[in-house]
Amino acid sequence: MPDFAQDAEVTHEAKRERRVALLARRRALPEAVRRDAAARVQAELVALVRRLRPGRMAAYAPVGTEPGGPDLPTVLADALPAGAQLILPVLRDDLDLDWAAWAGPAAMVAAGRGIREPASPRLGVAAIAAAELVVLPALAVDRRGVRLGRGGGSYDRALARLAATARTVVPLYDGELLDALPAEPHDRPVRAVVTPTGGLHPLAAPSGVVPHTSAGRIRGR
């Protein structure tokens, strides 16, 4: 009989090794390269926001070497149509994601794990279900849409709450859109990535990996 526990451990270790290598690669990028990449990624995302005109959009505040630059929420909020709402994640103790409305850079506060969060009132974990466009982080994504996150499972839970029509896009550096990544049953694929030189790149969800839908539930880690 197949040893599913052993297979899961092999996949988990493969993910860990990829994370270590990808984080080291990002840290080695010169500051000028990161700034140029952020400007290019922001321009692509602004064009997408202006084309889709979502009523509610979810995004995040990049920190450290994450692509998109620390001013990404400001840039995205400015691109939204009048009356639209931008929400950002708030990490809960159980590693699930609550959400709060973007109220400007002055309303951001330092939180655990080096991230920054809005200080505005919490909207609940289900707030993302109404988001029509979601910009979310990853260390890499493969051409099937499988994303490699930090390992907490937070965004897999959030993606499971999205409507089937929601657009999901991950900002990446060049070289982080890969041919294949190790995947587990709870992994939720994304629909597109944005890279500095490749622009917006739609992806196809793989067979055997459940697409994000508000009708599904997944196991957290």
Side-chain angles (χ1 to χ4, degrees):
M1 294 180 62
D3 189 339
F4 295 112
Q6 183 177 14
D7 289 346
E9 182 62 30
V10 169
T11 301
H12 184 73
E13 180 61 20
K15 285 185 171 184
R16 189 195 69 79
E17 291 175 356
R18 285 292 186 96
R19 289 188 186 101
V20 171
L22 287 161
L23 285 168
R25 183 179 183 274
R26 283 187 175 181
R27 287 192 293 268
L29 289 173
E31 178 63 28
V33 171
R34 292 201 294 265
R35 285 199 305 267
D36 180 68
R40 290 170 179 262
V41 164
Q42 287 180 8
E44 290 285 348
L45 290 174
V46 164
L48 180 64
V49 171
R50 289 175 175 167
R51 176 166 61 85
L52 297 180
R53 298 179 58 82
R56 172 176 283 184
M57 176 180 179
Y60 67 103
V63 295
T65 60
E66 288 184 325
D71 59 339
L72 180 62
T74 300
V75 170
L76 296 177
D78 289 345
L80 285 170
Q85 184 185 48
L86 176 65
I87 60 173
L88 270 63
V90 177
L91 187 65
R92 300 180 358 152
D93 290 341
D94 63 359
L95 300 186
D96 205 343
L97 296 178
D98 205 328
W99 299 88
W102 165 255
M108 297 291 284
V109 296
R113 301 188 173 220
I115 63 178
R116 294 182 62 78
E117 302 172 341
S120 39
R122 306 300 185 248
L123 301 174
V125 296
I128 195 174
E132 300 161 58
L133 176 61
V134 179
V135 177
L136 67 156
L139 296 175
V141 176
D142 74 17
R143 297 184 185 280
R144 305 167 300 165
V146 174
R147 61 178 286 277
L148 181 67
R150 298 279 184 150
S154 302
Y155 277 96
D156 288 318
R157 299 188 218 185
L159 288 171
R161 300 181 178 113
L162 288 178
T165 55
R167 307 287 188 93
T168 49
V169 58
V170 175
L172 296 173
Y173 291 108
D174 291 327
E176 293 179 346
L177 175 58
L178 306 177
D179 289 335
L181 283 167
E184 297 176 90
H186 64 263
D187 289 333
R188 300 278 165 158
V190 295
R191 300 195 170 189
V193 300
V194 170
T195 62
T197 59
L200 182 66
H201 189 103
L203 304 168
S207 60
V209 178
V210 182
H212 52 72
T213 168
S214 57
R217 292 175 63 91
I218 64 171
R219 295 178 290 109
R221 273 198 314 171

